[in-house]
Amino acid sequence: QLQLVESGGGLVQPGGSLRLSCAASGFAFGDYDMSWVRQAPGKGPEWVSSINTGGGSAFYADSVKGRFVMSRDNAKNMLYLQMNSLKPEDTAVYYCASVGDPIMAVTTRGSWGQGTQVTVSS
């Protein structure tokens, strides 16, 4: 059964860093482009970043470009999001998704994991 389990969220001060992880199982992880999506309270989902199957190419939303780095380890079926220089606006539930297209990532909730909460506050 397809399963995506996010972890690594928590409370961090503005300017701090967090590393999110997503453990994948039940499908051929290495054959899928992957994405990170986030959703703040009272707001719709926002695409954050995507990465290709091999992990050699990643791209990012303008709001996180230069601060976040996405990576993957196909041998371990793991997806990562290194978040640096965090801002209060980054506060959201973060989901990994088994699609790479930004539009499909935010509209296909069935491709998401259960999410992990990130709170950026002083």
Side-chain angles (χ1 to χ4, degrees), residues 4-7 19-24 27 29 32-37 49-53 55 58 69-82 95-99 111:
L4 298 169
V5 181
E6 298 92 337
S7 62
R19 179 178 169 89
L20 305 184
S21 298
C22 171
F27 70 106
F29 176 74
Y32 284 76
D33 297 340
M34 298 290 291
S35 297
W36 286 97
V37 172
S49 62
S50 295
I51 194 166
N52 70 330
T53 55
V69 179
M70 188 177 183
S71 62
R72 66 193 296 166
D73 186 339
N74 288 346
K76 297 180 179 179
N77 285 1
M78 293 291 293
L79 186 74
Y80 304 101
L81 184 67
Q82 178 66 47
Y95 304 89
C96 59
S98 56
V99 294
S111 70

